[in-house]
Each structure stands twice: as C-alpha cells, then as structure tokens.
Amino acid sequence: MCVLCGQDFVAQVHWTDRHLEHRARAAAPGSDPVAFQGDRRRDRGHRVVLTNEVVRHYGLRVEDWGGSKYVLRDHKGRTELVQDLGSLWPAAAKLAGRTPDPLDPALCEALSAAHDG
Amino acid sequence: MKDRDTRRPVTIVTGFLGSGKTTLLARVLSEPLMANTAVLVNEFGEVGLDHHLLRRVDERTVLLGSGCVCCTTREDLVGALMELLDMDQRGEMPTLERVVIETTGLADPAPILHTIYTDPVLQHHFLVDLVLATVDAVNGVLHLDRNPESVKQVAAADKVVVTKTDIAEPGIVRRLLSRLGTINPSALTFEAAFGEVDVHELFRPYGVGTHAALTFLAGKPDEPHDVGDTYSVSVTFDGPIDWTAFGIWFSMLLNARGEDVLRVKGLLDVGEAGPVVLNGVQHIIHPPQHLGKWPDEDHRSRIIFITRGIRPEELLDSLLAFRGLLGARPLPLHAEQTVPFP
C-alpha cells in the first residue's frame, strides 16, 4: 500500500489488462499521458458496461472505483473491492452465493434474450 | 515502437515417467547451439546428463489460498532461476541464452508457467516460449488411457516428441500419432528414435515470420474430437470481436471451470491491424501479445479449446449467447484449416 495515494502496488498485471500496458509502452516516450489516461478510462468504462450485462443476472452491479479498482455491490448493499477481472469473479461468487458460469444455460438464455430483445 | 524483448526464453520439457525426457535432453544439450543453456532437473536419472550449467531442484510447491493445483508457486524454481539471473548479471557465467526445465514424470506443467508469470522479478526476466512433451511410442497409448496427467501434458505442449519409435511397431506409432492429434491438434509432432531429433527445428522459436504453420485438424461441427472426456474444438467468428468482452467471458470461464480448460491457443481478430495471440494452460494465460500485423492472408480469428468434460457445443452455445457483448457470432472451424501460430 502506498502511504501517499492509498493504493496497492500491483505486482501482477492480469492478462485482461495487458493491452493497456502494451499500448502505453508502444506509445512512450513522448506520448501524451493525458491521452493515455483518457484511453484507459474509456476502456474501464466499457468494461464496466459489458460486465454489468453479465453480473446483473446474479443480482450484482459493478462500478469503476476511482479509476484504480472496481467495486462490486449486491442488492443488500454488501460490497467487494476488486483489482481486475481475475479477482472480480471470485468476489461475485462470494456475494451471489454461486459461481458465475458462462456455460450456465440459464445465463446463456438470459443474455440471448437481452440481445434479441 | 516496441522495445526488444530481453527476457530469456524458458523451455519446459515434460513427459510421463520413462518417456525419454532425459535421453532427449542429453542429445539436445550436446549441440553447440545449446552451450549457453542452463538446465534445471528434478532428479538425476539413470541417463547421465553432462552439462556445465546443470542444476538440480527439489520440487517444492507452495499451495495458494484457492487450493487450485495449477496456481501453485514452485519456490524451488524461483530460487534456482534467481540464482541463474544473479550469476548472469554478475558476469559469473557466459550469457544465459536459454533455460530448460525438466519436470518430473507426474508433474503438471501449469505451476511452472504460473511461477514464472506471477513472480514479481522473474516475470520481467524470463518468458516461457515452448512447452515440449515427450511421449513413449511403445507405452504412450497406455499412459494416455490410464493417466490423466499424461493427457494434461500433451494438451499443454506446443511440440510433442514421440520417442522410442525405433523399438515400436509402425502400427502402434500410427495409432499414437492419431491419438495425439486428437487430444491436441495444435501441437507439432516430432519422431525421435534413440533421442535423435533435429534440435534446431525442435527449439526454433515459434515466432511470426518463421513460417511455423500448424494444421488445426478441427472436426466437423457434428464430429467433435473426443477422447474419453477430453474434447477439442476450433472456433472462428463472423467478424472482429470485442477484446474486452472476450476477456470477460474467458476470465469468467477460467474462474468457473479453469481446471477443465486444459489448453487454449489462437489468434483473435479484435479489429486492430494485427491479431491478439492467446495462449493458456488451465488458469495460466501467457501475457496476450497484440501483433502489429497478421502472419498470413487469413485475417479471421482462429482459436482452439482443449477441455476436459466441457462439450464443444457448450462452449459454442455460450459464445453465441455472448454475441451481443462480443460483437460477432462464433462459428466452428472446419477440418484442415492451416493456422500459422506465433
């Protein structure tokens, strides 16, 4: 934990976040850090929208938490703070009481209906 | 602009007990090409290995909280690799060009990948570029039938070396090759009699531009490859897919069924100039590479899943249900699609 900004140091970048690091490396040096931050924020926002499409079938909602983490909530107001998609699913399982499974026929049916509807 | 990757390549040599790992290594290490290669072995077997950079490591695993076997850290490897790195950086040895790690016969290669990709120091200095599996031509089919570890090793492999073909009947070798192709259609297969194998070809990096084309022997959609409860299915999409959505789907699948996803490998069209290279063994996903250009004319996504107990139609139905998020529909790939794989 950094005493100045209160954020954890992340020793391990989850594979779903690697493209951001890759883009930053590809652009540096001389790139505009503001443009990178904007890009990163848009990417996180997009992820939040898509993830909510899935987690709402488990009665959950995810939000970006200050651009550094994600906060997952259930209807009772319980929350879990997670770093990335790697830690989001175990936290979702804890709150929902069952493991979110993309092969679950009920979830597949609900997602298909949402798409067609 | 991309910095040149200075990470040292690590090759994992896996294979069932007595399948000829050490014989193969002894042959390979005698090549001048391998002079600056360090070797980590678990045990000194009957076949003496004579190499100046040989180290023995005692398999010490630290199980993490989740208790999942593939997400264990091999403390012994961390220690051994750090020591090699120290020696290399102090100039106490010739430049370390490659590390070969030989696993025990029953070992699952996934914890080695996990160790290298999650250690805060090692992940910046080493990169697993190749998993080799040795399979004994005489007893291979028997091992694959009786030992799930053996199937896992073949599924995790990029290249499979069939050993002892000199003492096996040709019919048996053919049966084994067909069996291997069914378990892992994406792996390249080599035959080695008396440990004789083309070392350059075997250790050739699988990089773009090396013309390493491999054939996805995908079954017809109605004929999935199944070996007992091991299945493989190759999938493409009818357009570019949303990488963020794929990350959500796949991380969710790995969390729910990670131990049953033995292998995933492929190129994904994410609407950029080049594809994303995806390569994973169980829960462990190699850092995906975003390539600047496609390795060949075919710009479609091509991805293979090797699973245990998950039927191909379950995966396809799930990807179809996620079409709204992914932005494209999945299509099973038909037989004989040539896929260049970096």
Side-chain angles (χ1 to χ4, degrees):
Chain A
M1 177 81 74
C2 168
V3 290
L4 297 177
C5 58
Q7 289 186 7
D8 290 339
F9 290 117
V10 182
Q12 182 57 38
V13 179
H14 192 249
W15 65 269
T16 53
D17 288 327
R18 290 269 178 178
H19 62 294
L20 289 171
E21 191 192 10
H22 181 87
R23 257 185 244 162
R25 275 180 203 274
S31 65
D32 179 6
V34 178
F36 169 68
Q37 285 303 333
D39 185 31
R40 186 171 170 276
R41 259 200 305 276
R42 263 193 304 282
D43 203 87
R44 292 177 68 88
H46 179 55
R47 177 179 289 162
V48 164
V49 170
L50 294 183
T51 309
N52 274 323
E53 294 280 310
V54 180
V55 296
R56 68 190 169 97
H57 298 288
Y58 298 92
L60 304 173
R61 179 155 185 81
V62 67
E63 287 159 33
D64 191 353
W65 194 73
S68 65
K69 291 191 190 303
Y70 299 96
V71 61
L72 195 64
R73 302 178 196 280
D74 69 1
H75 292 319
K76 295 178 193 159
R78 292 186 302 171
T79 59
E80 287 280 332
L81 210 53
V82 296
Q83 179 66 38
D84 48 36
L85 284 171
S87 47
L88 182 129
W89 299 114
K94 193 172 149 196
L95 291 179
R98 61 194 164 121
T99 303
D101 183 352
L103 305 180
D104 174 10
L107 172 70
C108 289
E109 214 169 287
L111 283 173
S112 279
H115 177 68
D116 296 334
Chain B
M1 193 189 80
K2 188 176 184 289
D3 291 345
R4 203 171 61 83
D5 198 340
T6 53
R7 289 176 295 172
R8 295 146 184 88
V10 175
T11 303
I12 300 174
V13 179
T14 176
F16 209 65
L17 302 164
S19 64
K21 291 186 293 296
T22 314
T23 311
L24 179 79
L25 269 183
R27 165 71 190 82
V28 161
L29 292 175
S30 64
E31 285 283 321
L33 173 78
M34 307 301 278
N36 292 333
T37 298
V39 187
L40 303 178
V41 296
N42 273 111
E43 60 238 318
F44 289 120
E46 287 168 17
V47 185
L49 277 179
D50 181 18
H51 192 72
H52 64 291
L53 285 174
L54 190 67
R55 293 276 184 288
R56 196 176 86 86
V57 287
D58 286 313
E59 203 165 296
R60 281 203 314 271
T61 53
V62 176
L63 200 61
L64 299 182
S66 63
C68 158
V69 181
C70 70
C71 299
T72 48
T73 299
R74 289 269 308 268
E75 286 293 322
D76 53 315
L77 277 183
V78 175
L81 289 170
M82 291 290 244
E83 190 191 329
L84 284 171
L85 193 62
D86 259 0
M87 286 171 65
D88 185 24
Q89 293 182 334
R90 285 200 206 121
E92 289 172 8
M93 62 188 277
T95 313
L96 180 64
E97 285 176 6
R98 176 182 290 278
V99 180
V100 173
I101 301 174
E102 183 193 351
T103 71
T104 54
L106 290 169
D108 184 344
I112 301 180
L113 293 165
H114 183 259
T115 302
I116 294 173
Y117 285 132
T118 57
D119 185 87
V121 177
L122 296 183
Q123 59 176 308
H124 300 293
H125 295 280
F126 295 96
L127 133 111
V128 179
D129 74 334
L130 199 60
V131 179
L132 292 177
T134 54
V135 180
D136 165 357
V138 182
N139 298 311
V141 174
L142 195 71
H143 287 159
L144 291 169
D145 282 340
R146 297 200 178 157
N147 303 293
E149 294 88 357
S150 190
V151 176
K152 266 187 178 174
Q153 290 170 347
V154 171
D158 297 302
K159 298 185 182 179
V160 178
V161 182
V162 180
T163 60
K164 305 184 190 175
T165 48
D166 46 297
I167 51 168
E169 287 171 26
I172 293 184
V173 178
R174 271 201 303 279
R175 239 182 86 206
L176 177 64
L177 289 175
S178 123
R179 181 71 187 276
L180 293 172
T182 320
I183 297 172
N184 186 349
S186 70
L188 289 180
T189 312
F190 293 79
E191 285 183 43
F194 307 107
E196 283 301 322
V197 64
D198 184 343
V199 176
H200 288 264
E201 194 58 36
L202 195 62
F203 280 84
R204 193 170 65 159
Y206 234 0
V208 182
T210 54
H211 308 292
L214 47 102
T215 308
F216 269 27
L217 293 165
K220 291 182 190 134
D222 53 338
E223 290 172 17
H225 281 142
D226 65 286
V227 187
D229 60 353
T230 309
Y231 303 92
S232 74
V233 61
S234 304
V235 182
T236 184
F237 291 90
D238 65 358
I241 59 164
D242 184 322
W243 174 242
T244 303
F246 185 83
I248 292 169
W249 178 81
F250 197 51
S251 62
M252 188 182 181
L253 180 72
L254 291 179
N255 180 62
R257 314 285 284 262
E259 281 172 62
D260 296 331
V261 180
L262 298 180
R263 189 71 198 272
V264 61
K265 195 169 173 181
L267 300 173
L268 290 172
D269 172 12
V270 295
E272 293 172 2
V276 176
V277 181
L278 189 70
N279 190 358
V281 175
Q282 290 173 266
H283 287 209
I284 322 301
I285 305 297
H286 290 245
Q289 279 176 278
H290 291 246
L291 301 183
K293 62 179 174 57
W294 286 83
D296 66 352
E297 292 303 307
D298 189 352
H299 293 187
R300 288 177 308 161
S301 298
R302 288 151 279 174
I303 181 164
I304 183 166
F305 296 95
I306 304 175
T307 64
R308 185 178 51 200
I310 303 175
R311 296 187 163 275
E313 55 271 22
E314 284 183 82
L315 279 178
L316 287 165
D317 287 350
S318 173
L319 284 168
L320 185 66
F322 275 73
R323 66 190 177 280
L325 276 68
L326 290 166
R329 285 170 172 269
L331 302 166
L333 264 181
H334 292 266
E336 295 289 336
Q337 304 261 9
T338 302
V339 177
F341 192 81

